[in-house]
Amino acid sequence: MGTGATFYFDFNSPYAYLAAERIDGLLPDAEWKPIAFAILLNQLGVLEKRITGTDRDAVAREVSERVSRRGLPPFVPPDVWPIRSWSLVPLRAAVFAEEIGRQREFARAAFHTAFARGRSLAELGNVLDSARAAGLDPDEVEAAIQRPEVKDRLKANTDEALARGVTGIPTVVLGDEVFWGDDRLEEAVAAAGARRP
């Protein structure tokens, strides 16, 4: 029996990148769901506050320390991160990748593109490069991100996350318990263990 865990992420968060690199080892049956986090924040009425409140240098220092400790490539965010790197394109691509059973592979490739290679996922070419690295056909991905049903699923994921109390990313939700942050994955694992029969 699974845990019923859901892992909500957006490609603009280096903390989501950190969580994506280890969640399968901690919660292997978690369902991955990309969400349009900027839209969620806007619905909460806190988008401007979050944008202006992000200390790029402080985040970079913390993430750099974590990637070093975990043996990941050095943290190299895109120059346009965090404000001008939000994009729906990689999120829609992740929705499509789920259709063909390659979502985790695409997500990890896209996170690596953004935060280990310093290439903005707001640029379609970088998203398609990530798709290729994950074993997807870039032409199929480019067509899929325009499909209404793909857009609708991303919107549904975002609405669901909002309804379940998600206010940050990455977040793991177990029933009505919400665990926000890469540094709270172990708490989610403990909660999942307590839920198992």
Short mmCIF file of all heavy atoms in Angstrom, two decimals, residues 104-170:
data_model
loop_
_atom_site.label_atom_id
_atom_site.label_comp_id
_atom_site.label_asym_id
_atom_site.label_seq_id
_atom_site.Cartn_x
_atom_site.Cartn_y
_atom_site.Cartn_z
N ARG A 104 9.64 12.05 -14.16
CA ARG A 104 10.78 12.20 -13.25
C ARG A 104 12.06 12.48 -14.03
O ARG A 104 12.87 13.33 -13.65
CB ARG A 104 10.94 10.95 -12.39
CG ARG A 104 9.92 10.85 -11.25
CD ARG A 104 9.94 9.43 -10.68
NE ARG A 104 9.27 9.32 -9.40
CZ ARG A 104 7.95 9.28 -9.23
NH1 ARG A 104 7.16 9.36 -10.29
NH2 ARG A 104 7.43 9.15 -8.02
N GLU A 105 12.24 11.75 -15.13
CA GLU A 105 13.44 11.95 -15.94
C GLU A 105 13.48 13.36 -16.52
O GLU A 105 14.53 14.03 -16.49
CB GLU A 105 13.50 10.92 -17.07
CG GLU A 105 13.70 9.48 -16.60
CD GLU A 105 12.41 8.78 -16.18
OE1 GLU A 105 11.34 9.42 -16.15
OE2 GLU A 105 12.49 7.57 -15.87
N PHE A 106 12.34 13.82 -17.03
CA PHE A 106 12.31 15.17 -17.57
C PHE A 106 12.54 16.21 -16.48
O PHE A 106 13.32 17.15 -16.66
CB PHE A 106 10.98 15.48 -18.27
CG PHE A 106 10.88 16.93 -18.65
CD1 PHE A 106 11.58 17.43 -19.73
CD2 PHE A 106 10.14 17.81 -17.87
CE1 PHE A 106 11.54 18.79 -20.05
CE2 PHE A 106 10.09 19.16 -18.18
CZ PHE A 106 10.79 19.65 -19.27
N ALA A 107 11.87 16.03 -15.35
CA ALA A 107 12.01 17.01 -14.27
C ALA A 107 13.45 17.13 -13.81
O ALA A 107 13.98 18.24 -13.65
CB ALA A 107 11.11 16.64 -13.10
N ARG A 108 14.11 16.01 -13.63
CA ARG A 108 15.50 16.06 -13.18
C ARG A 108 16.40 16.70 -14.24
O ARG A 108 17.30 17.48 -13.92
CB ARG A 108 16.00 14.67 -12.81
CG ARG A 108 15.36 14.14 -11.54
CD ARG A 108 16.11 12.93 -10.99
NE ARG A 108 15.41 12.40 -9.84
CZ ARG A 108 14.55 11.39 -9.87
NH1 ARG A 108 14.28 10.79 -11.03
NH2 ARG A 108 13.95 10.97 -8.78
N ALA A 109 16.16 16.38 -15.50
CA ALA A 109 16.94 16.99 -16.58
C ALA A 109 16.72 18.50 -16.63
O ALA A 109 17.66 19.28 -16.82
CB ALA A 109 16.59 16.34 -17.92
N ALA A 110 15.47 18.92 -16.46
CA ALA A 110 15.15 20.35 -16.50
C ALA A 110 15.76 21.08 -15.31
O ALA A 110 16.33 22.17 -15.47
CB ALA A 110 13.64 20.54 -16.54
N PHE A 111 15.66 20.50 -14.14
CA PHE A 111 16.29 21.12 -12.97
C PHE A 111 17.80 21.23 -13.16
O PHE A 111 18.41 22.24 -12.81
CB PHE A 111 16.00 20.30 -11.71
CG PHE A 111 14.68 20.60 -11.05
CD1 PHE A 111 13.78 19.58 -10.77
CD2 PHE A 111 14.35 21.89 -10.68
CE1 PHE A 111 12.57 19.86 -10.14
CE2 PHE A 111 13.14 22.19 -10.04
CZ PHE A 111 12.25 21.16 -9.78
N HIS A 112 18.40 20.20 -13.73
CA HIS A 112 19.85 20.23 -13.98
C HIS A 112 20.19 21.33 -14.98
O HIS A 112 21.19 22.05 -14.81
CB HIS A 112 20.31 18.86 -14.50
CG HIS A 112 21.80 18.74 -14.62
ND1 HIS A 112 22.47 19.03 -15.79
CD2 HIS A 112 22.74 18.37 -13.72
CE1 HIS A 112 23.76 18.85 -15.60
NE2 HIS A 112 23.95 18.44 -14.36
N THR A 113 19.38 21.46 -16.02
CA THR A 113 19.59 22.53 -17.00
C THR A 113 19.59 23.89 -16.32
O THR A 113 20.45 24.74 -16.58
CB THR A 113 18.50 22.48 -18.09
OG1 THR A 113 18.65 21.25 -18.82
CG2 THR A 113 18.61 23.66 -19.05
N ALA A 114 18.61 24.10 -15.44
CA ALA A 114 18.45 25.40 -14.80
C ALA A 114 19.50 25.67 -13.74
O ALA A 114 20.08 26.77 -13.72
CB ALA A 114 17.05 25.51 -14.18
N PHE A 115 19.78 24.69 -12.88
CA PHE A 115 20.56 24.99 -11.69
C PHE A 115 21.96 24.38 -11.64
O PHE A 115 22.71 24.66 -10.71
CB PHE A 115 19.76 24.60 -10.45
CG PHE A 115 18.50 25.41 -10.30
CD1 PHE A 115 17.26 24.80 -10.27
CD2 PHE A 115 18.56 26.79 -10.21
CE1 PHE A 115 16.09 25.55 -10.14
CE2 PHE A 115 17.41 27.56 -10.09
CZ PHE A 115 16.17 26.93 -10.05
N ALA A 116 22.30 23.57 -12.63
CA ALA A 116 23.68 23.08 -12.73
C ALA A 116 24.35 23.62 -13.99
O ALA A 116 25.57 23.71 -14.05
CB ALA A 116 23.72 21.56 -12.71
N ARG A 117 23.53 23.98 -15.00
CA ARG A 117 24.08 24.52 -16.24
C ARG A 117 23.79 26.01 -16.40
O ARG A 117 24.31 26.65 -17.31
CB ARG A 117 23.54 23.75 -17.44
CG ARG A 117 23.90 22.27 -17.42
CD ARG A 117 23.22 21.51 -18.55
NE ARG A 117 23.65 21.98 -19.84
CZ ARG A 117 22.94 21.84 -20.97
NH1 ARG A 117 21.77 21.23 -20.93
NH2 ARG A 117 23.40 22.29 -22.10
N GLY A 118 22.95 26.56 -15.55
CA GLY A 118 22.67 27.98 -15.57
C GLY A 118 21.91 28.46 -16.79
O GLY A 118 22.08 29.59 -17.25
N ARG A 119 21.05 27.60 -17.33
CA ARG A 119 20.29 27.95 -18.54
C ARG A 119 18.82 28.11 -18.21
O ARG A 119 18.21 27.24 -17.60
CB ARG A 119 20.51 26.88 -19.60
CG ARG A 119 21.99 26.78 -20.02
CD ARG A 119 22.24 25.66 -21.00
NE ARG A 119 21.54 25.90 -22.25
CZ ARG A 119 21.52 25.03 -23.26
NH1 ARG A 119 22.17 23.87 -23.14
NH2 ARG A 119 20.88 25.30 -24.37
N SER A 120 18.25 29.22 -18.61
CA SER A 120 16.88 29.56 -18.24
C SER A 120 15.86 28.67 -18.94
O SER A 120 15.89 28.52 -20.17
CB SER A 120 16.58 31.02 -18.58
OG SER A 120 15.21 31.30 -18.38
N LEU A 121 14.93 28.13 -18.15
CA LEU A 121 13.85 27.33 -18.72
C LEU A 121 12.73 28.21 -19.27
O LEU A 121 11.73 27.69 -19.77
CB LEU A 121 13.31 26.36 -17.67
CG LEU A 121 14.30 25.29 -17.19
CD1 LEU A 121 13.68 24.45 -16.09
CD2 LEU A 121 14.77 24.42 -18.35
N ALA A 122 12.89 29.52 -19.21
CA ALA A 122 11.97 30.42 -19.88
C ALA A 122 12.23 30.42 -21.39
O ALA A 122 11.42 30.93 -22.16
CB ALA A 122 12.10 31.84 -19.33
N GLU A 123 13.36 29.84 -21.79
CA GLU A 123 13.70 29.72 -23.21
C GLU A 123 13.32 28.32 -23.70
O GLU A 123 13.78 27.32 -23.16
CB GLU A 123 15.18 29.97 -23.44
CG GLU A 123 15.62 31.38 -23.06
CD GLU A 123 17.11 31.61 -23.30
OE1 GLU A 123 17.71 30.84 -24.08
OE2 GLU A 123 17.65 32.53 -22.67
N LEU A 124 12.49 28.28 -24.73
CA LEU A 124 11.99 27.00 -25.24
C LEU A 124 13.12 26.05 -25.59
O LEU A 124 13.04 24.84 -25.31
CB LEU A 124 11.09 27.24 -26.45
CG LEU A 124 10.55 26.00 -27.15
CD1 LEU A 124 9.69 25.17 -26.21
CD2 LEU A 124 9.77 26.39 -28.40
N GLY A 125 14.17 26.54 -26.21
CA GLY A 125 15.28 25.68 -26.62
C GLY A 125 15.88 24.91 -25.46
O GLY A 125 16.24 23.73 -25.61
N ASN A 126 15.97 25.54 -24.30
CA ASN A 126 16.53 24.87 -23.13
C ASN A 126 15.57 23.80 -22.59
O ASN A 126 16.00 22.77 -22.08
CB ASN A 126 16.85 25.89 -22.05
CG ASN A 126 17.99 26.81 -22.45
OD1 ASN A 126 18.85 26.43 -23.24
ND2 ASN A 126 17.99 28.02 -21.92
N VAL A 127 14.28 24.06 -22.71
CA VAL A 127 13.29 23.06 -22.30
C VAL A 127 13.37 21.85 -23.24
O VAL A 127 13.36 20.70 -22.79
CB VAL A 127 11.87 23.66 -22.31
CG1 VAL A 127 10.83 22.58 -22.03
CG2 VAL A 127 11.76 24.79 -21.30
N LEU A 128 13.49 22.11 -24.52
CA LEU A 128 13.57 21.01 -25.49
C LEU A 128 14.88 20.23 -25.34
O LEU A 128 14.89 19.01 -25.51
CB LEU A 128 13.41 21.54 -26.91
CG LEU A 128 12.06 22.23 -27.20
CD1 LEU A 128 12.01 22.70 -28.64
CD2 LEU A 128 10.89 21.31 -26.87
N ASP A 129 15.97 20.92 -24.99
CA ASP A 129 17.22 20.21 -24.71
C ASP A 129 17.05 19.28 -23.51
O ASP A 129 17.56 18.16 -23.50
CB ASP A 129 18.35 21.21 -24.42
CG ASP A 129 18.87 21.89 -25.68
OD1 ASP A 129 18.55 21.43 -26.80
OD2 ASP A 129 19.59 22.90 -25.54
N SER A 130 16.33 19.77 -22.51
CA SER A 130 16.07 18.94 -21.32
C SER A 130 15.21 17.73 -21.70
O SER A 130 15.44 16.62 -21.21
CB SER A 130 15.35 19.77 -20.25
OG SER A 130 16.12 20.89 -19.87
N ALA A 131 14.23 17.96 -22.55
CA ALA A 131 13.38 16.86 -23.01
C ALA A 131 14.21 15.81 -23.73
O ALA A 131 14.06 14.60 -23.49
CB ALA A 131 12.28 17.39 -23.92
N ARG A 132 15.09 16.26 -24.59
CA ARG A 132 15.95 15.33 -25.34
C ARG A 132 16.83 14.53 -24.37
O ARG A 132 16.99 13.31 -24.52
CB ARG A 132 16.82 16.13 -26.32
CG ARG A 132 17.62 15.27 -27.29
CD ARG A 132 18.40 16.14 -28.27
NE ARG A 132 17.53 16.89 -29.17
CZ ARG A 132 17.30 18.20 -29.09
NH1 ARG A 132 17.88 18.92 -28.14
NH2 ARG A 132 16.50 18.81 -29.96
N ALA A 133 17.39 15.20 -23.37
CA ALA A 133 18.24 14.52 -22.39
C ALA A 133 17.47 13.47 -21.59
O ALA A 133 18.04 12.50 -21.12
CB ALA A 133 18.85 15.55 -21.44
N ALA A 134 16.15 13.69 -21.46
CA ALA A 134 15.31 12.75 -20.72
C ALA A 134 14.72 11.66 -21.60
O ALA A 134 13.92 10.85 -21.13
CB ALA A 134 14.19 13.52 -20.02
N GLY A 135 15.09 11.63 -22.87
CA GLY A 135 14.60 10.60 -23.76
C GLY A 135 13.27 10.90 -24.41
O GLY A 135 12.61 10.00 -24.94
N LEU A 136 12.86 12.18 -24.41
CA LEU A 136 11.62 12.59 -25.06
C LEU A 136 11.91 13.13 -26.45
O LEU A 136 13.02 13.63 -26.70
CB LEU A 136 10.89 13.65 -24.24
CG LEU A 136 10.09 13.20 -23.01
CD1 LEU A 136 11.00 12.74 -21.89
CD2 LEU A 136 9.20 14.33 -22.52
N ASP A 137 10.93 13.08 -27.30
CA ASP A 137 11.04 13.66 -28.63
C ASP A 137 10.74 15.16 -28.52
O ASP A 137 9.61 15.54 -28.18
CB ASP A 137 10.03 13.00 -29.57
CG ASP A 137 10.11 13.53 -31.00
OD1 ASP A 137 10.38 14.73 -31.19
OD2 ASP A 137 9.89 12.74 -31.93
N PRO A 138 11.71 16.03 -28.78
CA PRO A 138 11.50 17.47 -28.63
C PRO A 138 10.34 18.00 -29.47
O PRO A 138 9.62 18.91 -29.03
CB PRO A 138 12.83 18.09 -29.07
CG PRO A 138 13.84 17.00 -28.86
CD PRO A 138 13.10 15.73 -29.15
N ASP A 139 10.15 17.44 -30.67
CA ASP A 139 9.04 17.90 -31.50
C ASP A 139 7.69 17.57 -30.86
O ASP A 139 6.76 18.38 -30.90
CB ASP A 139 9.12 17.27 -32.89
CG ASP A 139 10.31 17.78 -33.69
OD1 ASP A 139 10.77 18.91 -33.42
OD2 ASP A 139 10.77 17.04 -34.58
N GLU A 140 7.60 16.40 -30.25
CA GLU A 140 6.36 16.02 -29.56
C GLU A 140 6.12 16.93 -28.36
O GLU A 140 4.98 17.33 -28.09
CB GLU A 140 6.43 14.56 -29.10
CG GLU A 140 6.34 13.54 -30.22
CD GLU A 140 6.30 12.13 -29.69
OE1 GLU A 140 6.24 11.94 -28.45
OE2 GLU A 140 6.35 11.20 -30.52
N VAL A 141 7.18 17.25 -27.65
CA VAL A 141 7.05 18.14 -26.49
C VAL A 141 6.60 19.52 -26.92
O VAL A 141 5.69 20.11 -26.33
CB VAL A 141 8.38 18.22 -25.71
CG1 VAL A 141 8.31 19.29 -24.62
CG2 VAL A 141 8.73 16.86 -25.11
N GLU A 142 7.22 20.04 -27.98
CA GLU A 142 6.86 21.38 -28.46
C GLU A 142 5.39 21.44 -28.87
O GLU A 142 4.70 22.45 -28.62
CB GLU A 142 7.76 21.79 -29.62
CG GLU A 142 7.55 23.23 -30.04
CD GLU A 142 8.59 23.72 -31.04
OE1 GLU A 142 9.44 22.92 -31.49
OE2 GLU A 142 8.56 24.92 -31.36
N ALA A 143 4.90 20.38 -29.48
CA ALA A 143 3.49 20.35 -29.86
C ALA A 143 2.60 20.19 -28.63
O ALA A 143 1.54 20.84 -28.52
CB ALA A 143 3.23 19.20 -30.84
N ALA A 144 3.03 19.37 -27.69
CA ALA A 144 2.19 19.06 -26.52
C ALA A 144 1.96 20.26 -25.63
O ALA A 144 0.88 20.40 -25.04
CB ALA A 144 2.81 17.92 -25.71
N ILE A 145 2.94 21.14 -25.50
CA ILE A 145 2.80 22.26 -24.57
C ILE A 145 1.73 23.26 -25.02
O ILE A 145 1.32 24.13 -24.24
CB ILE A 145 4.14 22.99 -24.33
CG1 ILE A 145 4.70 23.55 -25.63
CG2 ILE A 145 5.13 22.06 -23.64
CD1 ILE A 145 5.99 24.34 -25.46
N GLN A 146 1.25 23.10 -26.26
CA GLN A 146 0.17 23.96 -26.76
C GLN A 146 -1.20 23.30 -26.66
O GLN A 146 -2.21 23.94 -26.92
CB GLN A 146 0.45 24.34 -28.22
CG GLN A 146 1.73 25.13 -28.42
CD GLN A 146 1.75 26.43 -27.62
OE1 GLN A 146 0.72 27.07 -27.43
NE2 GLN A 146 2.93 26.82 -27.16
N ARG A 147 -1.22 22.03 -26.27
CA ARG A 147 -2.50 21.32 -26.21
C ARG A 147 -3.36 21.81 -25.06
O ARG A 147 -2.86 21.93 -23.93
CB ARG A 147 -2.25 19.81 -26.07
CG ARG A 147 -1.80 19.16 -27.36
CD ARG A 147 -1.38 17.71 -27.22
NE ARG A 147 -1.96 17.02 -26.08
CZ ARG A 147 -1.39 15.96 -25.50
NH1 ARG A 147 -0.24 15.50 -25.94
NH2 ARG A 147 -1.97 15.38 -24.48
N PRO A 148 -4.63 22.10 -25.30
CA PRO A 148 -5.50 22.59 -24.23
C PRO A 148 -5.58 21.67 -23.02
O PRO A 148 -5.61 22.14 -21.88
CB PRO A 148 -6.87 22.73 -24.91
CG PRO A 148 -6.55 22.92 -26.36
CD PRO A 148 -5.33 22.10 -26.62
N GLU A 149 -5.58 20.35 -23.27
CA GLU A 149 -5.71 19.43 -22.14
C GLU A 149 -4.47 19.44 -21.25
O GLU A 149 -4.56 19.22 -20.04
CB GLU A 149 -6.03 18.01 -22.61
CG GLU A 149 -4.98 17.36 -23.48
CD GLU A 149 -5.17 17.60 -24.97
OE1 GLU A 149 -5.78 18.63 -25.34
OE2 GLU A 149 -4.69 16.76 -25.76
N VAL A 150 -3.30 19.70 -21.85
CA VAL A 150 -2.07 19.81 -21.06
C VAL A 150 -2.13 21.07 -20.20
O VAL A 150 -1.81 21.05 -19.00
CB VAL A 150 -0.83 19.80 -21.97
CG1 VAL A 150 0.43 20.21 -21.20
CG2 VAL A 150 -0.65 18.42 -22.60
N LYS A 151 -2.55 22.17 -20.80
CA LYS A 151 -2.70 23.43 -20.05
C LYS A 151 -3.71 23.25 -18.93
O LYS A 151 -3.51 23.74 -17.80
CB LYS A 151 -3.13 24.55 -20.99
CG LYS A 151 -2.11 24.89 -22.07
CD LYS A 151 -2.63 25.97 -23.00
CE LYS A 151 -1.66 26.28 -24.12
NZ LYS A 151 -2.16 27.35 -25.02
N ASP A 152 -4.81 22.56 -19.22
CA ASP A 152 -5.85 22.36 -18.22
C ASP A 152 -5.36 21.51 -17.06
O ASP A 152 -5.72 21.76 -15.89
CB ASP A 152 -7.08 21.70 -18.86
CG ASP A 152 -7.85 22.64 -19.78
OD1 ASP A 152 -7.60 23.86 -19.73
OD2 ASP A 152 -8.69 22.13 -20.56
N ARG A 153 -4.53 20.50 -17.33
CA ARG A 153 -4.02 19.66 -16.25
C ARG A 153 -3.07 20.44 -15.35
O ARG A 153 -3.08 20.26 -14.13
CB ARG A 153 -3.34 18.40 -16.81
CG ARG A 153 -4.34 17.34 -17.23
CD ARG A 153 -3.88 15.93 -16.98
NE ARG A 153 -2.55 15.66 -17.47
CZ ARG A 153 -2.23 15.41 -18.75
NH1 ARG A 153 -3.16 15.42 -19.67
NH2 ARG A 153 -0.99 15.16 -19.09
N LEU A 154 -2.27 21.31 -15.93
CA LEU A 154 -1.39 22.14 -15.12
C LEU A 154 -2.22 23.07 -14.23
O LEU A 154 -1.93 23.23 -13.04
CB LEU A 154 -0.44 22.96 -16.00
CG LEU A 154 0.49 23.92 -15.24
CD1 LEU A 154 1.38 23.18 -14.25
CD2 LEU A 154 1.33 24.72 -16.23
N LYS A 155 -3.26 23.65 -14.79
CA LYS A 155 -4.15 24.50 -14.00
C LYS A 155 -4.82 23.70 -12.89
O LYS A 155 -4.92 24.17 -11.74
CB LYS A 155 -5.21 25.15 -14.89
CG LYS A 155 -6.14 26.10 -14.15
CD LYS A 155 -7.18 26.70 -15.07
CE LYS A 155 -8.04 27.73 -14.34
NZ LYS A 155 -8.69 27.22 -13.13
N ALA A 156 -5.26 22.50 -13.20
CA ALA A 156 -5.91 21.65 -12.20
C ALA A 156 -4.93 21.30 -11.07
O ALA A 156 -5.30 21.30 -9.89
CB ALA A 156 -6.47 20.39 -12.84
N ASN A 157 -3.68 20.99 -11.43
CA ASN A 157 -2.67 20.71 -10.41
C ASN A 157 -2.49 21.90 -9.49
O ASN A 157 -2.37 21.75 -8.27
CB ASN A 157 -1.31 20.41 -11.08
CG ASN A 157 -1.24 19.04 -11.71
OD1 ASN A 157 -2.16 18.23 -11.62
ND2 ASN A 157 -0.14 18.78 -12.39
N THR A 158 -2.43 23.10 -10.09
CA THR A 158 -2.21 24.32 -9.32
C THR A 158 -3.39 24.60 -8.40
O THR A 158 -3.22 24.93 -7.22
CB THR A 158 -1.95 25.50 -10.27
OG1 THR A 158 -0.86 25.17 -11.14
CG2 THR A 158 -1.61 26.77 -9.50
N ASP A 159 -4.60 24.45 -8.93
CA ASP A 159 -5.80 24.65 -8.11
C ASP A 159 -5.87 23.64 -6.97
O ASP A 159 -6.24 23.99 -5.84
CB ASP A 159 -7.06 24.53 -8.98
CG ASP A 159 -7.22 25.68 -9.96
OD1 ASP A 159 -6.54 26.72 -9.79
OD2 ASP A 159 -8.02 25.52 -10.91
N GLU A 160 -5.49 22.40 -7.27
CA GLU A 160 -5.49 21.37 -6.23
C GLU A 160 -4.50 21.70 -5.13
O GLU A 160 -4.81 21.57 -3.94
CB GLU A 160 -5.13 20.02 -6.86
CG GLU A 160 -4.96 18.89 -5.86
CD GLU A 160 -4.37 17.65 -6.49
OE1 GLU A 160 -5.09 17.01 -7.29
OE2 GLU A 160 -3.20 17.33 -6.20
N ALA A 161 -3.30 22.14 -5.53
CA ALA A 161 -2.28 22.49 -4.54
C ALA A 161 -2.76 23.62 -3.63
O ALA A 161 -2.58 23.58 -2.41
CB ALA A 161 -0.98 22.90 -5.24
N LEU A 162 -3.38 24.62 -4.23
CA LEU A 162 -3.92 25.74 -3.45
C LEU A 162 -4.97 25.24 -2.46
O LEU A 162 -4.96 25.61 -1.28
CB LEU A 162 -4.52 26.78 -4.39
CG LEU A 162 -5.11 28.04 -3.75
CD1 LEU A 162 -4.01 28.86 -3.07
CD2 LEU A 162 -5.81 28.88 -4.81
N ALA A 163 -5.86 24.38 -2.93
CA ALA A 163 -6.93 23.86 -2.07
C ALA A 163 -6.38 23.00 -0.93
O ALA A 163 -6.98 22.93 0.15
CB ALA A 163 -7.91 23.05 -2.91
N ARG A 164 -5.22 22.37 -1.15
CA ARG A 164 -4.64 21.49 -0.14
C ARG A 164 -3.71 22.23 0.83
O ARG A 164 -3.10 21.62 1.70
CB ARG A 164 -3.90 20.33 -0.81
CG ARG A 164 -4.82 19.42 -1.61
CD ARG A 164 -4.09 18.21 -2.13
NE ARG A 164 -3.87 17.22 -1.08
CZ ARG A 164 -3.16 16.11 -1.26
NH1 ARG A 164 -2.60 15.85 -2.44
NH2 ARG A 164 -3.00 15.26 -0.27
N GLY A 165 -3.59 23.55 0.65
CA GLY A 165 -2.81 24.34 1.60
C GLY A 165 -1.36 24.56 1.23
O GLY A 165 -0.56 24.97 2.07
N VAL A 166 -1.00 24.33 -0.03
CA VAL A 166 0.37 24.57 -0.47
C VAL A 166 0.61 26.07 -0.58
O VAL A 166 -0.15 26.79 -1.23
CB VAL A 166 0.65 23.88 -1.83
CG1 VAL A 166 2.02 24.28 -2.37
CG2 VAL A 166 0.54 22.37 -1.68
N THR A 167 1.66 26.56 0.08
CA THR A 167 2.02 27.98 0.01
C THR A 167 3.47 28.18 -0.39
O THR A 167 3.94 29.31 -0.49
CB THR A 167 1.78 28.68 1.37
OG1 THR A 167 2.58 28.03 2.37
CG2 THR A 167 0.31 28.62 1.76
N GLY A 168 4.19 27.09 -0.61
CA GLY A 168 5.60 27.16 -1.00
C GLY A 168 5.98 25.89 -1.73
O GLY A 168 5.23 24.91 -1.72
N ILE A 169 7.15 25.93 -2.36
CA ILE A 169 7.64 24.74 -3.05
C ILE A 169 9.11 24.53 -2.69
O ILE A 169 9.83 25.49 -2.44
CB ILE A 169 7.48 24.86 -4.58
CG1 ILE A 169 7.99 26.20 -5.05
CG2 ILE A 169 6.08 24.56 -5.02
CD1 ILE A 169 8.09 26.32 -6.54
N PRO A 170 9.53 23.27 -2.63
CA PRO A 170 8.74 22.05 -2.82
C PRO A 170 7.85 21.79 -1.61
O PRO A 170 8.17 22.18 -0.50
CB PRO A 170 9.82 20.98 -2.95
CG PRO A 170 10.92 21.47 -2.03
CD PRO A 170 10.92 22.97 -2.24
#
